[in-house]
């Protein structure tokens, strides 16, 4: 498969780095759009608003991300911070959707 950008290891200029970063950001937005689609689905499926916040599930999601980061050589502490924010943002979004669906 031909990628429209070089791998980080093969970049020789900042222009090449920026092309890769921009492409990666677009891919991340696509993935986040899918993730937030799942939050909308969860909001639709959960019968009670109190079901939206699940601290055990939150901890499991963050732990899984940290384990994946460790396997990929990505800074685990940074991933923990990012995923904490991602999960909290997702919970807030799901609550808004839960309310919207039932208003």
């Amino acid at each position: 498969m031909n990628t429209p950008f070089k791998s980080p290891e093969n970049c020789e200029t900042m222009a090449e780095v920026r092309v890769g970063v921009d492409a990666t950001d677009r891919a991340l937005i696509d993935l986040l759009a899918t993730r937030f689609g799942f939050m909308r689905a969860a909001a639709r499926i959960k019968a009670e608003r109190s079901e939206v916040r699940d601290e055990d599930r939150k901890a499991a999601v963050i732990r899984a991300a940290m384990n994946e980061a460790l396997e990929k050589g990505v800074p685990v502490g940074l991933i923990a911070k990012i995923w904490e924010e991602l999960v909290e943002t997702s919970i807030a979004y799901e609550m808004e959707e839960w309310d919207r669906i039932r208003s």
Side-chain angles (χ1 to χ4, degrees), residues 6-11:
K6 291 184 176 184
S7 68
E9 298 79 21
N10 292 324
C11 289

Side-chain angles (χ1 to χ4, degrees), residues 58-74:
K58 175 185 171 181
V61 168
I62 294 170
R63 192 169 43 255
M66 292 170 67
N67 289 338
E68 187 74 17
L70 185 61
E71 288 179 22
K72 300 269 172 41
V74 178

